[in-house]
Amino acid sequence: MSGEASEPPVASPRTPRPGIQKSSGSVAKKGDRGAKEKPATVLPPVGEEEPKNPEEYQCTGVLEVDFAELCTRWGYTDFPKVVTRPRPHPTFVPSASTSEKPTVDDQQLSGSCSLNSLESKYVFFRPTIQVELESDDKSVKEIYIRGWKVEERILGIFSKCLPALSQLQSINLWKAGLTDETLTTFVALLPLCSAALRKVSLEGNPLREQSYHKLMAADSTIAHLSLRNNNIDDHGARLLGQALSTLHSCNRNLVSLNLGFNHIGDEGAGYIADGLRLNRSLLWLSLAHNRIQDKGALKLAEVLRPFELTHTEVVERRRLLLEKGLQERSPSPSTSRHGDSKTEREKNQLMGVSSFALVDKTDKMQAMKTPKGLGKKKEKLGEVVKKEEKSGTGQSPTQGTPKKEDSTKASKGKVTIPEQKPGKGKGTKSGSKEKRSILPESELLGEATEVVNPLLEPMEHRDGKVFMPGNKVLLHLNLLRNRITAVGLEAFLTAVQYQAQFSKSKSASKGPVGLLGLLLAKNHFSPQCPAYTAIQEMMLPRDPISKAQHREEEAMASS
């Protein structure tokens, strides 16, 4: 505010400036520049008192009122206004507004007519905060900021007024001049917002340090993230790939990631592929309009079919298996103490065969004095590994266990499961094609989150090597307009053939089945390439959109 008070005398012809001059007192009139700087030394204490008022202000949940009031209390004289986002269709509305303008302009001079026409022409480019409202209660559900720089102070105001928006679902910042510092502030703001906020779009905001991975932290609740046109190169792709998954951490909430129109090459595509090795939540990935060639395409295709585990991954898998076996045997003293009576054992038998197996196992472990107990204990230890292999498919080894098992599941950090169940319910109620196609995605995501680590999935052992079945959770992969040739196409054809064969097997009756959409057009190969036509033929019956169109065509033909 001190800067605003020192600038007005320079731009005195503007209308907002005289008001600031009056507020600065008689000291800042038409003196020299040294005299004008004196009020600037007096105003900072006032500016220090003003931020206390925004803290006392209680937001009402009406963004237009709250944002304007907080900006005024922070000392802003000219700030963006909150307006309703213009609808894309209504072409008749501008004609109506232009037809009304001549009736107003006829009462004014011709000079004012030209001025009004200029103002109306550039009103679109004025900084505004566009919002999209709910149809029923008119609450804000989406926020759009386009083409003006969002500074630290504006984010501070957002941190106070956005948490009051209980229905906020999406924030879109397009060419908002973000920096690595303001992005850190923005990331810290997101947990304060409503739990309904699941979509963030930061497009046209290139960062020097490319710290976009902060939006994909392990505790992030963002489900849909768009990072188009941000000049992300291989260094940024490495950070994003590590945010997707590493050997010891994994993002469990991100469902879709748009990295189109960036500068990702083969090395960056390899980093993204490494992130997909152990990630079982991402369903939709776009790498369109990048610089990926055959080397990067081979890396991405390798993740979609069985691939060999590295030495560190094999060691980590063995450690996880041992830990899981110890966790399942840890409640044995408590269960065995109370499970000696016949009535308790009968109750456990009613709970199911799997729960009875666990309780019986713990009883036998405590009764180690007899040789029978020792023999059965070894058998049960063998069953533990089998159950762990089964649990890798996304199903719990004890589906009918009592509440003790549920509490252990909750203690393993499965926070995302209750968030996805309402989404699955909404999908069943809806009748639209989009929600029907999203329904299996939410189901697959719900099953994937039950797995503590994909390294516990059933593996294949060949020639002394361990092979993971591959990532079959990813449903859509967009690689349009890259630099892939027929060599990369052959790798994707092999991956698609494997997933198609797997989907027909009995083991795929429950759980993810692999890609439903693979876009490879506009690359460096001929559209008549045999591998490309084979991929299209195999993906056509798997694509849910083409299936729906085929059903509609059949219904129209039958009618």
Side-chain angles (χ1 to χ4, degrees):
M1 184 172 178
S2 60
E4 293 176 356
S6 60
E7 292 177 4
V10 182
S12 56
R14 297 185 181 180
T15 53
R17 300 303 184 185
I20 303 178
Q21 287 180 0
K22 291 180 184 179
S23 62
S24 61
S26 60
V27 184
K29 288 188 178 179
K30 292 186 178 180
D32 56 354
R33 292 190 177 181
K36 293 173 187 175
E37 292 176 358
K38 291 181 181 179
T41 60
V42 180
L43 284 176
V46 180
E48 290 176 2
E49 294 176 1
E50 286 178 355
K52 297 180 181 178
N53 294 331
E55 294 177 0
E56 298 172 358
Y57 176 73
Q58 298 294 330
C59 293
T60 61
V62 181
L63 184 60
E64 183 177 1
V65 176
D66 294 338
F67 184 78
E69 181 65 23
L70 289 171
C71 285
T72 304
R73 294 187 178 216
W74 274 98
Y76 278 101
T77 56
D78 187 13
F79 49 84
K81 294 194 169 35
V82 179
V83 298
T84 305
R85 190 186 186 201
R87 307 304 300 175
H89 310 330
T91 54
F92 60 89
V93 173
S95 62
S97 61
T98 51
S99 63
E100 291 176 1
K101 282 181 182 178
T103 61
V104 179
D105 293 339
D106 287 342
Q107 302 173 1
Q108 299 177 354
L109 299 175
S110 59
S112 62
C113 291
S114 60
L115 180 61
N116 289 339
S117 62
L118 285 174
E119 289 180 354
S120 62
K121 181 181 292 186
Y122 292 103
V123 69
F124 176 79
F125 299 100
R126 291 177 182 174
T128 58
I129 300 176
Q130 300 179 0
V131 296
E132 198 161 317
L133 307 177
E134 293 282 1
S135 56
D136 48 0
D137 56 355
K138 301 300 179 183
S139 58
V140 177
K141 66 176 182 178
E142 295 188 24
I143 293 178
Y144 296 85
I145 293 178
R146 299 174 57 87
W148 57 276
K149 188 172 183 178
V150 177
E151 299 177 346
E152 197 82 25
R153 286 206 300 170
I154 292 292
L155 291 175
I157 294 174
F158 280 154
S159 66
K160 296 184 178 299
C161 59
L162 292 189
L165 306 177
S166 60
Q167 302 298 323
L168 183 61
Q169 303 173 11
S170 173
I171 297 179
N172 300 267
L173 303 181
W174 182 77
K175 291 189 176 181
L178 292 180
T179 62
D180 291 283
E181 292 74 17
T182 52
L183 178 65
T184 303
T185 306
F186 177 74
V187 172
L189 178 154
L190 295 177
L192 305 176
C193 298
S194 169
L197 178 60
R198 303 298 302 276
K199 181 180 178 182
V200 173
S201 176
L202 303 181
E203 299 183 359
N205 293 280
L207 303 180
R208 185 182 60 183
E209 298 178 5
Q210 302 189 30
S211 54
Y212 306 100
H213 63 283
K214 296 179 180 179
L215 293 162
M216 299 165 51
D219 57 347
S220 173
T221 58
I222 298 175
H224 307 279
L225 180 61
S226 180
L227 298 173
R228 297 193 308 170
N229 279 307
N230 287 327
N231 297 339
I232 299 175
D233 56 13
D234 293 340
H235 169 68
R238 180 177 65 85
L239 299 176
L240 294 174
Q242 293 174 354
L244 283 174
S245 74
T246 61
L247 201 60
H248 303 288
S249 65
C250 180
N251 184 296
R252 297 178 182 273
N253 294 323
L254 191 65
V255 175
S256 67
L257 177 62
N258 194 339
L259 297 175
F261 295 89
N262 283 292
H263 302 157
I264 300 175
D266 286 340
E267 189 177 354
Y271 291 132
I272 299 296
D274 291 340
L276 293 175
R277 289 172 71 94
L278 302 179
N279 182 282
R280 294 298 180 267
S281 65
L282 192 68
L283 306 176
W284 193 95
L285 175 63
S286 175
L287 291 168
H289 292 263
N290 277 280
R291 303 171 181 177
I292 301 174
Q293 300 182 23
D294 289 332
K295 186 177 179 181
L298 292 174
K299 285 283 188 179
L300 291 169
E302 178 186 359
V303 183
L304 303 177
R305 62 178 188 269
F307 57 87
E308 180 185 352
L309 294 184
T310 63
H311 175 70
T312 55
E313 289 172 342
V314 172
V315 173
E316 181 67 12
R317 169 179 162 80
R318 291 174 180 174
R319 188 186 67 83
L320 290 173
L321 287 173
L322 289 174
E323 282 187 358
K324 191 170 184 181
L326 291 174
Q327 286 177 1
E328 290 184 354
R329 285 176 285 160
S330 59
S332 58
S334 59
T335 53
S336 59
R337 288 172 190 170
H338 303 284
D340 290 337
S341 62
K342 294 181 180 179
T343 56
E344 289 294 326
R345 292 186 180 180
E346 289 175 359
K347 288 181 182 179
N348 290 330
Q349 287 176 0
L350 293 175
M351 290 293 182
V353 179
S354 58
S355 61
F356 173 76
L358 285 177
V359 176
D360 191 26
K361 180 188 70 174
T362 55
D363 292 339
K364 299 300 181 182
M365 285 178 60
Q366 192 177 8
M368 294 176 63
K369 296 180 181 179
T370 60
K372 259 186 195 179
L374 282 172
K376 290 190 178 180
K377 177 188 172 184
K378 292 179 181 179
E379 292 176 3
K380 297 299 178 179
L381 288 175
E383 290 178 4
V384 171
V385 180
K386 292 180 181 178
K387 288 177 184 178
E388 288 163 358
E389 298 290 335
K390 292 179 181 178
S391 64
T393 60
Q395 297 177 352
S396 172
T398 56
Q399 295 178 354
T401 53
K403 293 181 180 178
K404 294 178 183 177
E405 294 294 320
D406 295 336
S407 63
T408 56
K409 287 182 182 180
S411 64
K412 292 182 182 179
K414 316 263 176 52
V415 185
T416 57
I417 295 176
E419 293 180 1
Q420 290 156 0
K421 284 182 180 177
K424 187 164 69 172
K426 287 180 183 177
T428 53
K429 291 180 182 177
S430 63
S432 62
K433 297 176 186 176
E434 295 181 357
K435 293 185 178 178
R436 268 184 280 162
S437 62
I438 292 173
L439 173 61
E441 299 176 5
S442 61
E443 289 179 353
L444 296 178
L445 182 61
E447 292 180 359
T449 51
E450 293 181 2
V451 181
V452 178
N453 196 304
L455 290 174
L456 297 177
E457 295 178 359
M459 302 290 174
E460 183 181 353
H461 299 267
R462 290 180 299 183
D463 301 330
K465 299 177 181 179
V466 184
F467 289 84
M468 181 178 283
N471 188 329
K472 291 186 284 293
V473 176
L474 187 67
L475 301 179
H476 180 91
L477 180 60
N478 187 351
L479 289 169
L480 291 172
R481 292 188 179 275
N482 278 275
R483 302 171 183 178
I484 303 172
T485 66
V487 177
L489 286 181
E490 292 291 341
F492 280 111
L493 178 60
T494 305
V496 171
Q497 287 174 345
Y498 163 75
Q499 291 189 351
Q501 185 179 1
F502 175 82
S503 61
K504 296 178 182 178
S505 63
K506 295 181 180 179
S507 58
S509 58
K510 290 183 180 180
V513 295
L515 287 177
L516 302 180
L518 178 61
L519 303 181
L520 293 167
K522 307 295 182 181
N523 275 275
H524 292 181
F525 56 82
S526 171
Q528 288 78 28
C529 178
Y532 181 61
T533 55
I535 291 174
Q536 284 186 313
E537 291 175 357
M538 297 187 68
M539 295 302 301
L540 188 62
R542 295 170 63 88
D543 189 0
I545 298 178
S546 62
K547 284 182 180 179
Q549 292 176 350
H550 183 65
R551 290 173 185 171
E552 289 181 358
E553 291 175 358
E554 288 182 350
M556 292 291 293
S558 61
S559 61

